[in-house]
């Protein structure tokens, strides 16, 4: 087998291994985050804190694991820049159709920086200005809902909390809306801020931060 063929094979194997490691990390992160609504409904605050800790620990653990695997796979060539350039090209092809392509690229960068000991930025082996996506990402609909033209903050808060359904019922929705509105009004007065003319809410009150 020629040196070029060996480099190509190693690059593909390495890129696929990092891709699978990212897929495991991402799917596990989403699975943990998906429990947030249930934790909230059941008032499982300790569970929420435990899940938050798991999410924080997940990324470095995933990077460390694949770092060890790539070191073994590449052997003495684990710091071969040419091999990493080839692996980056293969990886870009693998993640180009993913919605989470930016996260996937960052994951690749984390692994390469660990193994190469990169200081600063190496655009040859890292994803920087460019992205893997070959076509622009089209948003089918706005990822938020706008609330505006409400006669009072209380009515605004009531509309929002009414739209966001939880598995557990409010003990007294109108009381809670009044209390929340009073807090908001006090803040606006204390900070001399302008009145609220609109609020934009994402579809779910439970979301992930990459």
């Amino acid at each position: 087998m020629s040196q070029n063929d060996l480099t190509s094979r190693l690059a593909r194997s390495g890129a696929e291994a990092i891709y699978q490691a990212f897929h495991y990390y991402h799917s596990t992160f989403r699975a943990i985050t998906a429990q947030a609504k249930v934790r909230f409904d059941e008032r499982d605050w300790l569970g929420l804190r435990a899940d938050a800790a798991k999410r924080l620990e997940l990324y470095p653990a995933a990077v460390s694991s694949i770092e060890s695997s790539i070191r073994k796979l590449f052997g003495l060539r684990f710091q071969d820049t040419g091999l990493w350039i080839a692996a980056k090209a293969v990886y870009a092809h693998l993640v180009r159709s993913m919605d989470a392509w930016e996260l996937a690229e960052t994951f690749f960068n984390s692994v390469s920086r660990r193994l190469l000991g990169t200081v600063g930025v190496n655009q040859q082996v890292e994803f920087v200005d460019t992205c893997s996506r070959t076509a622009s990402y089209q948003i089918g609909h706005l990822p938020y809902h706008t609330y505006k033209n409400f006669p009072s903050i209380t009515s605004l808060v009531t509309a929002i909390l009414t739209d966001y359904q939880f598995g557990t019922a409010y003990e007294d929705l109108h009381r809670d809306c009044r209390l929340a509105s009073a807090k908001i009004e006090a803040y606006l007065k204390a900070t001399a801020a302008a009145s609220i003319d609109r609020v934009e809410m994402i579809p779910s009150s439970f979301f992930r931060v990459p």
Side-chain angles (χ1 to χ4, degrees):
M1 180 181 293
S2 69
Q3 186 66 23
N4 287 340
D5 288 341
L6 178 59
T7 296
S8 179
R9 189 182 71 175
L10 281 177
R12 174 161 294 280
S13 296
E16 290 175 347
I18 297 172
Y19 173 79
Q20 291 299 327
F22 171 75
H23 179 72
Y24 171 78
Y25 156 73
H26 192 233
S27 60
T28 303
F29 188 100
R30 290 172 64 89
I32 295 172
T33 304
Q35 299 181 95
K37 187 175 187 303
V38 175
R39 300 285 196 197
F40 180 84
D41 288 342
E42 296 179 351
R43 299 180 178 85
D44 183 5
W45 314 130
L46 292 178
L48 279 171
R49 292 184 63 183
D51 287 347
K54 287 180 183 177
R55 287 195 299 269
L56 288 173
E57 296 166 357
L58 191 60
Y59 190 87
V63 172
S64 293
S65 178
I66 188 59
E67 175 195 357
S68 177
S69 297
I70 294 298
R71 188 183 293 271
K72 293 176 182 177
L73 177 65
F74 285 178
L76 296 177
R77 298 185 63 186
F78 76 92
Q79 291 188 317
D80 184 332
T81 299
L83 179 55
W84 277 101
I85 292 173
K88 176 187 173 184
V90 175
Y91 190 83
H93 178 78
L94 292 173
V95 304
R96 73 181 189 278
S97 61
M98 296 178 64
D99 288 340
W101 56 268
E102 290 177 298
L103 294 177
E105 290 180 351
T106 299
F107 189 84
F108 182 93
N109 290 349
S110 296
V111 178
S112 70
R113 292 179 69 85
R114 284 272 198 96
L115 287 164
L116 293 173
T118 305
V119 177
V121 177
N122 186 341
Q123 296 192 40
Q124 287 185 300
V125 298
E126 293 181 63
F127 294 95
V128 186
D129 298 332
T130 59
C131 68
S132 302
R133 191 178 297 281
T134 55
S136 60
Y137 182 61
Q138 301 296 323
I139 300 177
H141 56 81
L142 293 177
Y144 59 85
H145 178 69
T146 301
Y147 295 84
K148 59 182 180 179
N149 300 326
F150 282 85
S152 67
I153 292 179
T154 300
S155 61
L156 171 62
V157 173
T158 300
I160 293 173
L161 294 186
T162 300
D163 285 347
Y164 284 75
Q165 299 297 318
F166 300 99
T168 183
Y170 291 104
E171 182 181 69
D172 187 334
L173 175 61
H174 297 296
R175 179 202 62 196
D176 292 343
C177 289
R178 289 195 303 271
L179 292 173
S181 299
K183 290 286 187 179
I184 295 172
E185 290 168 353
Y187 173 81
L188 292 175
K189 183 177 180 180
T191 58
S195 60
I196 299 174
D197 62 347
R198 62 190 287 157
V199 173
E200 294 175 349
M201 297 287 294
I202 61 174
S204 173
S205 53
F206 299 97
F207 61 96
R208 67 175 180 82
V209 178

